[in-house]
Amino acid sequence: MTPEQLLPDALLERVRGRAAGYDRDNAFFHEDLQELAAAGYLKLFVPASDGGPGLGLRAAAQCQRRLATAAPATALAVNMHMVWTGVAHVLATRGDDSLSFVLEEAAQGEIFAFGNSEAGNDSVLFDSRTTAAPGPDGGYTFTGTKIFTSLSPAWTRLGIFGKDPAARDGEGELVHGFIRRKSPGYRILDDWDTLGMRASQSATTVLDGAAVPADRIFRKLPVGPNADPLIFAIFACFETLLAAVYTGLGERALTVGVETAKRRTSFKNGGRSYAQDPDIRWKVAEAAMAMDALYPQLDAVAADVDALADHGSQWFPKLVGLKVNATETARRVVDLAIRVSGGSSYFRGSELERLYRDVLAGMFHPSDDESAHNTVANAWLGPLED
C-alpha cells in the first residue's frame, strides 16, 4: 500500500485543518488519533496475517513524512507508537521475537508510548537515573521521572527502563519493560505548555513504584554501550522516523513559502508577484536544494534497515547523522520560507509561525548535535586519546 492509500488526501486535510486549533488551545489531538486509528494507520508495522499492511521502516517513514506535512505535532506523537511497533518489526526480521506481543497488541488497538527520556541523563539508553527494584516473582518496580512522554493522554502501554544497581555484582543492570494504563505506581503531570509541538502533549511521567510483571520485562542489559539488537532497533526506528517527521515539516514549509511568494505582490515593482523577485527566487531555490538532498538520505537509511544491510561501526553515525541533518535542514528551510513570506508569517495563527515554533523541538531530541558529532568523529577518527 502507498502512503496515499494509507493516509488519503481527505483525511490528511482534516488533520491539517485541526492542527492550528490544537496548537492554540494546547490540546491533545484526540480527533486525529481517533481517525488515524480507525483508518488502520497505527498498524503500519503489523503483519498482514494480523490485519495490518505489514510495512517496513522505509514505507513507514514515507507515511510519517506525509502526515507531518499536515500536522507535525500529531506526527511526532504518533512516532512514539511507531517506534515501539517498528522496533518489534526490526527485531522480528532479525530473528528476535522478544517483542512479538507489541505487534499482537497493536493489532488489537493498543497504543504504545516511549517513556525512556530523563532530565540530565545524557547517556540516553546506556544508563538510567530511574531505579528498577526486583520483586520475588521476576517483576520489577520502577521509581524515577520520565520527561517528554508523548501521547500522555492516550497511551495504553508505556515502555520504560531503569537500573537495578545491585545486579551483575554491583555493576548494575538496565531493565526494560512495559506498564499498562491501569498499572499502579505512576502519575502524569499536567506540565506540557511549550513553545511548539503542543498537540503532542508530551507530559512528564513520575514513576513511584510502577509495577512491571515478569512477562512484560523484555530485556536486561549491562550499563554502558553494547551491541544488543534492541539498542540498534531503537536507534534505527527512533532516529529514522524522527527524521521523517522533520523532513515532512520542512517539505510543508517550502510549499507554503512558494505559495506565499506567488501570492504576494510588490508595490514598487508595479504589482508583480514576489515570485519574480531575484532575491526571493534565490531563497526558494536554496530551500528546495536543501530538501532535495534530504529525501534520498532518509530513503536510503530506512531501506538499508529493511534490507538488513551490514554497515558495521558506521550504522550509528548514519542514524544520528540522518537525524541531525533532517532537523537542521528543516529549521533552515522554515527560516527561508518565513523570509520569503514576509511579515504576515510573524503573526500568531500563521501556519509558518506554527512551523517555526514546531521545528525548534528538533534540537532537543536525541541524539543532540554534540552527541551526534562525537559519534561520527569516533567512527571516522577513533576515540579521543587519554
Side-chain angles (χ1 to χ4, degrees):
M1 298 181 70
T2 67
E4 291 76 19
Q5 291 172 314
L6 291 161
L7 195 59
D9 288 344
L11 173 55
L12 198 70
E13 288 307 311
R14 290 194 297 274
V15 169
R16 177 174 288 118
R18 290 187 285 254
Y22 291 142
D23 176 78
R24 181 192 63 240
D25 300 336
N26 192 28
F28 185 66
F29 58 99
H30 286 291
E31 296 91 342
D32 288 358
L33 187 61
Q34 184 178 14
E35 284 207 66
L36 290 168
Y41 189 80
L42 302 185
K43 301 178 183 180
L44 293 185
F45 287 106
V46 172
S49 58
D50 289 330
L55 300 187
L57 187 58
R58 182 188 182 203
Q62 291 171 348
C63 290
Q64 280 295 88
R65 170 186 150 195
R66 178 170 165 80
L67 179 59
T69 65
T74 291
L76 182 65
V78 168
N79 242 22
M80 300 306 107
H81 173 84
M82 296 299 184
V83 167
W84 277 126
T85 54
V87 166
H89 166 80
V90 168
L91 288 176
T93 60
R94 288 157 174 78
D96 182 339
D97 293 324
S98 59
L99 285 180
S100 59
F101 67 88
V102 169
L103 293 174
E104 292 167 4
E105 293 183 7
Q108 297 163 7
E110 303 296 346
I111 298 175
F112 289 81
F114 215 75
N116 283 0
S117 296
E118 300 166 338
N121 179 11
D122 55 2
S123 294
V124 194
L125 290 176
F126 300 140
D127 204 345
S128 178
R129 304 181 70 177
T130 296
T131 300
D137 58 354
Y140 284 78
T141 55
F142 292 76
T143 301
T145 301
K146 304 296 186 177
I147 60 173
F148 294 113
T149 313
S150 300
L151 291 171
S152 286
W155 61 260
T156 63
R157 304 286 189 268
L158 180 66
I160 58 176
F161 87 126
K163 182 165 66 175
D164 176 0
R168 299 181 187 252
D169 297 325
E171 294 294 324
E173 184 171 65
L174 301 174
V175 183
H176 295 257
F178 284 95
I179 61 172
R180 301 171 186 264
R181 193 79 185 186
K182 63 182 180 181
S183 298
Y186 78 90
R187 56 194 170 93
I188 299 172
L189 303 185
D190 183 16
D191 63 349
W192 190 251
D193 188 8
T194 51
L195 180 68
M197 293 294 187
R198 287 160 63 82
S200 70
Q201 291 300 298
S202 307
T204 298
T205 303
V206 179
L207 306 175
D208 188 11
V212 179
D215 66 349
R216 284 298 183 266
I217 297 294
F218 63 90
R219 258 325 184 274
K220 298 178 184 180
L221 300 175
V223 174
N226 66 83
D228 190 277
L230 175 69
I231 302 300
F232 171 78
I234 290 177
F235 268 93
C237 293
F238 192 94
E239 303 290 68
T240 303
L241 292 170
L242 193 70
V245 168
Y246 284 89
T247 300
L249 194 161
E251 181 178 346
R252 178 60 182 173
L254 175 58
T255 298
V256 174
V258 168
E259 291 173 350
T260 306
K262 290 179 177 179
R263 188 172 61 248
R264 290 179 68 204
T265 56
S266 171
F267 178 75
K268 71 177 182 180
N269 287 325
R272 296 179 71 195
S273 164
Y274 268 92
Q276 302 303 310
D277 184 297
D279 292 329
I280 296 296
R281 294 171 69 86
W282 186 92
K283 288 181 173 63
V284 169
E286 184 77 4
M289 287 188 290
M291 289 304 303
D292 281 345
L294 184 54
Y295 297 132
Q297 183 184 13
L298 173 62
D299 198 60
V301 169
D304 279 358
V305 174
D306 287 341
L308 279 65
D310 182 9
H311 290 302
S313 63
Q314 288 294 328
W315 250 128
F316 286 97
K318 285 181 179 293
L319 292 168
V320 299
L322 169 63
K323 179 270 173 180
V324 169
N325 195 30
T327 54
E328 292 300 312
T329 296
R331 190 157 64 96
R332 187 164 74 253
V333 169
V334 172
D335 182 79
L336 287 166
I338 283 180
R339 293 174 187 272
V340 163
S341 300
S344 63
S345 62
Y346 192 63
F347 282 81
R348 290 282 292 176
S350 156
E351 184 174 2
L352 280 175
E353 179 267 343
R354 174 165 49 83
L355 295 179
Y356 187 80
R357 289 183 288 105
D358 282 351
V359 79
L360 295 178
M363 69 180 72
F364 299 107
H365 305 301
S367 295
D368 62 26
D369 194 35
E370 295 82 5
S371 174
H373 279 79
N374 183 59
T375 297
V376 176
N378 284 344
W380 285 96
L381 299 172
L384 286 170
E385 297 176 359
D386 292 335

